[in-house]
Amino acid sequence: MSTARPVTPVRAGTVTRWAAETDVLVVGHGCAGAAAAFEAASAGAGVLVLERAGGPGGSSALSGGELYLGGGTEVQRACGFEDSPEEMYSYLRAALGPHADDEKLRLYCEESVAHFQWFVDRGLAFEPTLWDAPTWMPTTRDGLMWLGENAWPYNEIARPAPRGHRTATEAFGGWLVMEKLVAAAGEAGAVTHSDTLATALIVDDTGRVVGATARRHGEDLAYRARGGVVLTTGGFADNEEMLADHAPHLLAHGRVSDGLDDGSGIRMAAALGAATRRMGVVELALTALPALAVRGMLVNAHGQRFVNEDVYPGLFSVAAVLTQPAPYWVIVDEEGYEAVPERERWGVVPRFVSETLGELEGELGMPPGALDSSVGTYNTHAARGRDPYFHKDARWLRPLEGPFAAIDPRAGFHQGGRPSAGAGTGVAGFTLGGLRTTVDGAVLDVSGAVLPGLFAAGRAASGIHGEGYVSGTSLGDGTFFGRRAGVAAAAGLRSAS
Amino acid sequence: MSTARPVTPVRAGTVTRWAAETDVLVVGHGCAGAAAAFEAASAGAGVLVLERAGGPGGSSALSGGELYLGGGTEVQRACGFEDSPEEMYSYLRAALGPHADDEKLRLYCEESVAHFQWFVDRGLAFEPTLWDAPTWMPTTRDGLMWLGENAWPYNEIARPAPRGHRTATEAFGGWLVMEKLVAAAGEAGAVTHSDTLATALIVDDTGRVVGATARRHGEDLAYRARGGVVLTTGGFADNEEMLADHAPHLLAHGRVSDGLDDGSGIRMAAALGAATRRMGVVELALTALPALAVRGMLVNAHGQRFVNEDVYPGLFSVAAVLTQPAPYWVIVDEEGYEAVPERERWGVVPRFVSETLGELEGELGMPPGALDSSVGTYNTHAARGRDPYFHKDARWLRPLEGPFAAIDPRAGFHQGGRPSAGAGTGVAGFTLGGLRTTVDGAVLDVSGAVLPGLFAAGRAASGIHGEGYVSGTSLGDGTFFGRRAGVAAAAGLRSAS
């Protein structure tokens, strides 16, 4: 039996008292909600944002804060990289595909330089320097980082240019992004009701969405929205029942979220017949340190390599967890281990150290000869600067020599001093599927028609992702399409009245 | 923009003329529809079945006809196998999991012997003999076959017993199963309207489903159902837009269907706020001959093995397509090839034949040494009757010796003289996700509440499958839960009136 909170739509005619009326009602105050609120308010609409937590920020504020932007931003140019919307599109189509929403992806790339400027105009600063090595997160204030663009096969699909933009903080920067966006929304005139949990959508007799019910301080309230409701409630990483129904791969693992990604916006809209897209797609992060993996080998339970270790680390994570037998191991030699400065090793401790591979494979429970064969093959080719299996860049290729260490991602590591959500299984993730929307955030029903008065953005919607993911595309498409939804909802005010 | 046929629910009050009234309206005349129609009619209800094709049968009639049944059927006992519902449940939970609907799965196993008898009572005969080797489909009239129960790791999870029940035909038997079920439904009193495409559900003012609109011979009609509507429209393998939204892995490949699995039942119900489950899960079949694969090696593009070749062939297919770099190859030696009788080789022709592995890996575009290393490792262990990587049964282990052949699944093969749907990519499949239903077929909305008057079964619903699949579970759970939905809809007649 379902234990889900009911989200049955409420008929407007049954509402006896409106707690508040506004033009645009935004549900959820993460990055997409803040962007929508800012744009709607800037367009002159009255805006009210409902947030179930005690204050704004959501999962966005806890994120790394990377923004995937390109096409020739001033940071890219200052670091000496040429880029174009076409090259950005080619990369993302390959890295986020297959079968991403092409219209959204094209628009996102075409307007990326302008979207970068929008962040600058909101007060975010970006240092004109590049972090030039595989990592989950630089330990510096560098404003630019690679996110897989220079790794095979992507380096053959599009001209490589780094597009991970980072506001000037060390380690996690999501809080700073949200600080600026929330302030901007407030300055533009948006009002926030915190501790307010939206519970259902309100529809009039024509089927138009005209508000939402909510629970606030123990009271059941009805909020009226004259122009439209924008759902920016996030994904459903924290809803066990939705995960079991749609994305069970996350169930066993840690979650990258604020603990409140309950999928409620998706459910409220689906109760009205809204269409969803790619509800099973998840992003996963394996707590394997890219700087170590790239200098050695990432192998599965059989000691087999399965990916070039210099890809965007989310890609090697997904490849491991969704396609390879567990457990996974990072195999490095002493030279590789010592080449990574201790402050970047974030508390990583080798689980096993051994002079010989035969001894090590025994410790790891691999079949006899497994690791000997894998490392032997790797070394033979690496000695010639080649990786004919996975094409890791020659920069990282070197025969490995004993003593060897095996690092266990299940032991987790600390990012910026914070315990990783993946400690335990070594994996943490979040959901990418959501409501089917137009590029202006209008929610579509299963017949492909717009549900009047209803918008969505951020992880409550299916955005620019197909099966793949790259850091910075959540805050990136959440803000980009959040802005567009805010503009459209404010415009909807005129068409609705 | 969506090109989907609209499925917007119709209000009963707007219907000016009912083309027909019945107690139970069944939409789709495949195995689930026939089972539902038989039970509802047998319970005394008036039953009308709408079928969009020119006659009944659907994809079920084109299927192999395997029925996954066990727990101690008379065929199992005659072949000398002990079985119990508990052992059957343990196997299916592992093979169809993770996160299958446990309540459905338990019930399916507990009542499996009775469900077997139901087929016998409908006139299906089963020979008391076993086909005892890995295959997609026996070339004999044997009534029983293994479907992965005796392969690692399943042989350690549950006591192995074969549960693939086959009615007495050579090769494809779906047509015979459907011939009997359609006849039984008709004899029980169910009436069928063929060439009749259901287009939307009709709901009354309380939200109860009271019928469906349909298009028949160019006319738009409304059918009234006093007791309930049972959606048995099949999956969505033939709906490109739904595949792009939910199960894109199938897009590139062949489809196992009658070409009419358009997902319309899923969409009609979702338009009312029905919940779906596991819309991304697909079953895939690689056109690699199990009898050859088991005597050699199934390898990926890098020449790596990734599974024990004696598993249910759908499992090695899914493992290949969803987790391994393509193309895939079956590597056999002369002894292995000749051990398979020509009539079971179904037109398989080796793509490359070579005296040495070095030559063969060059032909296959593998890195130098790749196949030499894989076969060397395999042979070392096989000489001792062991497979420490994947635990293939010792019966199939033997060092491979040149000359070697590489067989390309993309070349396809012919099943029973019929061109395989997978010719081209070597892969064909169908969808397993669908509407969320109770064990009695009631469709649930996203809040977990029953949508009154609406039932679903077969591949329009999410059944006993988690991520996995085994042959015979489609006809198996389609008929089992189709029967229950028919009973419930007939009973709903009383509660509705």
Side-chain angles (χ1 to χ4, degrees), chain A residues 138-178:
Chain A
T139 53
T140 63
R141 293 164 62 92
D142 290 323
L144 199 59
M145 68 186 291
W146 293 99
L147 288 168
E149 301 91 344
N150 56 352
W152 184 87
Y154 307 102
N155 58 359
E156 295 180 355
I157 290 168
R159 185 179 54 205
R163 298 192 189 91
H165 285 66
R166 304 178 62 246
T167 188
T169 52
E170 287 169 21
F172 288 84
W175 66 271
L176 181 56
V177 174
M178 286 311 299

Side-chain angles (χ1 to χ4, degrees), chain A residues 1-2 4-8 11 98-99 103 205 241 243-249 251 267-268 270-279 302 304-305 322-325 367-370 373 377 381 386 388-390 436 444-448 467, chain B residues 1-2 4-8 11 98-99 103 205 241 243-249 251 267-268 270-279 302 304-305 322-325 367-370 373 377 381 386 388-390 436 444-448 467:
Chain A
M1 214 51 223
S2 174
R5 204 170 68 224
V7 289
T8 314
R11 297 217 180 176
H99 309 295
E103 193 183 359
D205 287 343
E241 187 166 354
L243 290 182
D245 281 351
H246 305 294
H249 293 293
L251 282 173
R267 293 176 62 236
M268 286 189 273
L272 283 176
T276 55
R277 211 167 183 264
R278 301 301 179 78
M279 290 289 280
H302 299 139
Q304 294 172 315
R305 283 179 80 213
L322 296 188
T323 77
Q324 301 296 316
S373 166
T377 299
H381 297 298
R386 294 178 55 227
Y389 288 84
F390 305 106
R436 188 170 178 176
L444 299 174
D445 71 15
V446 294
S447 297
E467 306 280 295
Chain B
M1 216 48 224
S2 173
R5 203 170 70 223
V7 289
T8 313
R11 298 218 179 175
H99 308 297
E103 194 183 357
D205 286 344
E241 187 167 353
L243 290 181
D245 281 351
H246 305 293
H249 293 292
L251 282 173
R267 293 176 60 237
M268 286 190 273
L272 283 176
T276 56
R277 210 165 185 267
R278 301 301 179 78
M279 290 288 280
H302 299 138
Q304 295 171 315
R305 284 179 79 212
L322 297 187
T323 78
Q324 301 296 316
S373 165
T377 299
H381 296 298
R386 294 179 56 227
Y389 289 84
F390 305 106
R436 188 170 177 177
L444 298 174
D445 71 14
V446 293
S447 298
E467 307 278 297

Side-chain angles (χ1 to χ4, degrees), chain B residues 69-73 76 82-86 88 109 112-113 163 165:
Chain B
L69 300 164
T73 67
Q76 288 181 303
E82 265 188 67
D83 196 12
S84 71
E86 293 69 32
M88 180 180 177
C109 295
S112 188
V113 170
R163 299 192 189 90
H165 285 66

Side-chain angles (χ1 to χ4, degrees), chain A residues 338-382:
Chain A
E338 296 299 336
V340 180
E342 196 171 338
R343 74 181 294 252
E344 289 172 33
R345 270 192 248 128
W346 286 330
V348 168
V349 180
R351 172 100 176 261
F352 298 103
V353 178
S354 182
E355 285 298 321
T356 69
L357 292 165
E359 205 178 312
L360 195 57
E361 67 197 15
E363 302 262 32
L364 305 184
M366 294 174 182
L371 215 48
D372 203 45
S373 166
S374 292
V375 176
T377 299
Y378 181 86
N379 283 355
T380 301
H381 297 298

Side-chain angles (χ1 to χ4, degrees), chain B residues 337 345 347-352 406-408 411:
Chain B
Y337 191 78
R345 272 193 246 126
V348 168
V349 181
R351 171 100 176 260
F352 298 103
I407 298 160
D408 185 349

Side-chain angles (χ1 to χ4, degrees), chain B residues 173-264:
Chain B
W175 66 273
L176 181 56
V177 174
M178 286 311 299
E179 191 172 276
K180 299 293 186 189
L181 298 191
V182 168
E187 283 159 24
V191 173
T192 301
H193 284 194
S194 295
D195 290 317
T196 307
L197 175 69
T199 49
L201 294 169
I202 302 173
V203 288
D204 70 13
D205 286 344
T206 71
R208 184 181 177 88
V209 175
V210 296
T213 57
R215 194 157 178 84
R216 186 181 200 209
H217 303 151
E219 262 191 298
D220 289 314
L221 305 173
Y223 287 88
R224 182 153 180 240
R226 287 178 289 260
V229 173
V230 184
L231 298 169
T232 50
T233 47
F236 56 98
D238 298 310
N239 184 320
E240 301 290 297
E241 187 167 353
M242 285 182 80
L243 290 181
D245 281 351
H246 305 293
H249 293 292
L250 265 192
L251 282 173
H253 299 301
R255 315 293 158 75
V256 177
S257 79
D258 65 351
L260 300 174
D261 286 348
D262 61 2
S264 57

